[in-house]
Amino acid sequence: MNQKLSILIPAFNEEKTITLILDKVLAVKLPGSIEKEIIIVNDASTDNTVRVVEEYITMHPSPGPFTGGEGRKSPCEQSEANGDLGVIRLFSQAVNLGKGAAIHKGIELATGDFIVIQDADLEYDPQEYNVLLQPILDGVADVVYGSRFMGGKPHRILFFWHSIGNKILTFLSNMFTNLNLSDMETCYKLFRAEFLKQIHFKERRFGFEPEVTSKIARFPGIRIYEVGISYYGRTYEEGKKIRMKDAFRAVICLVNYNLFDRKFKK
């Protein structure tokens, strides 16, 4: 049986970039016979994200609907041009619940052997899925983080205080988990699905990153790797959503899930 990579795309008001990122995801050639499952979770967007995605799916037709469960505003469909391109699935949340909640739904719907998070903007390059997959396929890793601060790949120069905040959050995370990550807040995290699906998640907004790191590190003997990736960040004018209050929430999450709320499995 072929292995499958589930690509989770939480989307809120991403009509300008969603088709561009889907083009990039579909263009990726995964190693061996690994198939792609693309799950877009629309977080009650107020723009034309749903219509744009539905039109995109229509342009990549395949037999049969995807019954994604309750909460859809519009029919969920799927697209499967061939094994290389993959299947596209759309699920719409009935109300806006936050990025973390959208990822939780994507994890629930995922049927792949591996799961990776992909933002709907253009900050991360899907061609690097293979870089993330390699340590797992080599049999040495269960989780792989894509670090924006390792290696010689390009990354856009943006906000000084964001970089300081990231380093502080990563330091606190490492202190609690006894890991030595260089980029805890990275979007690109690739997991063996068997681990991620066991986790009991609570954070609905941007607290997903510190929560999943705090909890995945608690699995006995889990093997966590880090690889260098590129980063094409965007400004607030270009649609960046994370704010300073989210950094404060991340600190609260790190303290809470490492010192007080220690439950990490369902």
Side-chain angles (χ1 to χ4, degrees):
M1 180 181 296
N2 291 344
Q3 291 182 304
K4 185 189 302 181
L5 173 65
S6 294
I7 302 158
L8 311 186
I9 307 180
F12 176 69
N13 291 351
E14 299 287 2
E15 63 176 345
K16 295 180 180 179
T17 59
I18 189 69
T19 59
L20 298 175
I21 198 63
L22 286 173
D23 284 343
K24 288 178 176 290
V25 171
L26 289 178
V28 176
K29 172 65 176 175
L30 296 177
S33 57
I34 297 178
E35 300 173 350
K36 280 177 284 188
E37 173 185 58
I38 304 161
I39 301 176
I40 304 163
V41 181
N42 166 53
D43 193 24
S45 295
T46 57
D47 66 357
N48 293 314
T49 296
V50 170
R51 179 180 61 80
V52 169
V53 172
E54 289 179 339
E55 290 178 355
Y56 191 93
I57 290 174
T58 300
M59 294 173 64
H60 301 76
S62 76
F66 166 60
T67 54
E70 60 184 1
R72 301 194 306 275
K73 285 185 177 180
S74 57
C76 290
E77 303 176 51
Q78 70 180 28
S79 166
E80 184 172 21
N82 58 53
D84 290 340
L85 293 181
V87 175
I88 304 176
R89 295 173 171 178
L90 170 64
F91 179 95
S92 285
Q93 305 271 49
V95 296
N96 181 266
L97 297 174
K99 179 181 178 180
I103 294 174
H104 302 167
K105 175 56 69 174
I107 294 170
E108 176 188 326
L109 298 174
T111 63
D113 304 277
F114 319 113
I115 297 175
V116 68
I117 316 299
Q118 172 69 60
D119 282 349
D121 53 35
L122 301 174
E123 293 191 335
Y124 294 82
D125 184 3
Q127 288 295 336
E128 293 176 335
Y129 293 162
N130 292 333
V131 177
L132 294 162
L133 274 168
Q134 199 58 55
I136 291 181
L137 297 180
D138 287 343
V140 298
D142 302 305
V143 180
V144 181
Y145 279 47
S147 174
R148 295 164 290 179
F149 309 120
M150 287 177 58
K153 295 187 177 181
H155 53 274
R156 185 178 179 182
I157 302 301
L158 284 172
F159 308 112
F160 171 76
W161 289 111
H162 275 204
S163 65
I164 296 299
N166 188 296
K167 292 181 187 302
I168 292 173
L169 291 175
T170 298
F171 174 82
L172 289 174
S173 176
N174 288 343
M175 183 178 68
F176 285 124
T177 62
N178 197 29
L179 301 176
N180 63 338
L181 295 169
S182 66
D183 191 6
M184 180 273 293
E185 285 283 336
T186 180
C187 165
Y188 267 6
K189 298 176 174 72
L190 194 147
F191 307 85
R192 288 189 184 274
E194 62 197 81
F195 292 103
L196 196 60
K197 282 181 171 287
Q198 293 184 58
I199 295 179
H200 175 67
F201 288 108
K202 291 186 175 181
E203 293 299 314
R204 290 188 164 191
R205 283 184 51 78
F206 292 102
F208 174 80
E209 314 299 351
E211 181 183 15
V212 73
T213 302
S214 299
K215 293 180 176 181
I216 201 71
R218 211 161 294 155
F219 282 89
I222 195 158
R223 301 167 300 173
I224 302 174
Y225 272 62
E226 202 173 41
V227 295
I229 60 168
S230 54
Y231 180 63
Y232 304 90
R234 60 179 178 172
T235 65
Y236 288 110
E237 292 75 20
E238 293 169 334
K240 195 171 188 67
K241 298 181 179 70
I242 196 166
R243 295 292 192 274
M244 184 61 70
K245 65 180 180 180
D246 297 305
F248 288 116
R249 179 61 193 172
V251 173
I252 293 172
C253 290
L254 288 170
V255 173
N256 183 45
Y257 296 123
N258 284 285
L259 296 182
F260 302 106
D261 187 353
R262 297 279 296 174
K263 178 181 178 181
F264 70 100
K265 288 187 178 182
K266 293 179 180 177

